[in-house]
Amino acid sequence: MRAGGKHNDLDNVGYTDRHHTFFEMLGNFSFGDYFKETAIPLAWELVTKDFAPRSKRLLVTVYHDDEDAYRIWKKVTGFSATTRSSASPPRDNFWSAGDTGPCGPCSEIFFDQGDKVAGGPPGSADADGDRFLEFWNLVFMQYEQRGPGDRVDLPKPSIDTGMGLERIDGHPAGRARQSTTSTSSRR
């Protein structure tokens, strides 16, 4: 059963500890009411204060040319560019629903499950491992893609943020494995 959520990772279900048969996204939207300057601090406060994880085990990604998000993340988290933020490949940190329509850069928050779990940080050769678990995504819809090579600013930039319900279970406690919702595995 696939209850909802992402459309582009269905082939990964059952092969990794982070792709489940049940995926439900929890989050919020803002259609022009606020943007990066508010969304980033709100996400960080929720993650580090309300959920109380170990912030030293968090990693934030920023789209490679999103200087605004990079500056805000650095101010809010205190992370330096070399230890906590990485500019991910464009295909990984830019959201669009299709060839045309609203689109924009993303930032993601990952939880480092520790060196006993295989895998490397986002953007690395070992990124497909389970060590770094993406649990929060912030999509900054600021453009409209009209066609190939034709992208314009949206009149009201918007926010789409969210966290996978099944990922909340393992994250705050710092557990290396999440709860599973399926008894079968394709591994």
Side-chain angles (χ1 to χ4, degrees):
M1 175 180 163
R2 186 76 168 180
K6 294 174 69 173
H7 64 283
N8 59 356
D9 65 349
L10 292 176
D11 292 338
N12 294 324
V13 171
Y15 289 105
T16 74
D17 286 338
R18 65 187 192 279
H19 292 91
H20 300 269
T21 55
F22 178 80
F23 180 89
E24 188 59 42
M25 198 68 167
L26 307 173
N28 65 290
F29 292 92
S30 169
F31 298 105
D33 292 328
Y34 62 91
F35 200 48
K36 296 174 191 178
E37 300 80 10
T38 302
I40 290 172
L42 286 174
W44 192 250
E45 180 178 347
L46 178 67
V47 167
T48 60
K49 292 191 172 64
D50 295 335
F51 292 157
R54 295 168 232 166
S55 62
K56 290 181 181 179
R57 294 179 68 182
L58 299 179
L59 178 121
V60 174
T61 62
V62 178
Y63 184 67
H64 76 282
D65 69 356
D66 190 347
E67 294 300 323
D68 291 335
Y70 178 81
R71 177 185 45 77
I72 297 166
W73 277 114
K74 191 170 181 180
K75 178 181 175 185
V76 169
T77 66
F79 289 167
S80 72
T82 56
T83 59
R84 296 291 179 201
S85 289
S86 66
S88 292
R91 68 183 182 350
D92 291 339
N93 259 31
F94 194 89
W95 178 88
S96 67
D99 295 335
T100 61
C103 59
C106 301
S107 282
E108 298 160 326
I109 305 173
F110 289 78
F111 183 72
D112 181 353
Q113 300 188 89
D115 59 8
K116 291 186 170 106
V117 179
S124 74
D126 297 324
D128 286 338
D130 289 326
R131 177 174 176 176
F132 292 88
L133 174 68
E134 175 197 340
F135 67 92
W136 189 276
N137 188 12
L138 297 94
V139 177
F140 306 118
M141 293 177 285
Q142 61 191 72
Y143 305 114
E144 178 183 357
Q145 188 74 38
R146 294 181 175 175
D150 185 12
R151 183 181 293 162
V152 297
D153 291 342
L154 285 174
K156 291 187 173 189
S158 302
I159 295 290
D160 174 3
T161 72
M163 177 186 301
L165 175 63
E166 78 287 356
R167 296 178 181 188
I168 292 172
D169 179 49
H171 163 64
R175 291 183 288 242
R177 289 187 55 106
Q178 306 164 61
S179 63
T180 57
T181 56
S182 175
T183 57
S184 64
S185 176
R186 293 178 3 190
R187 283 188 247 175

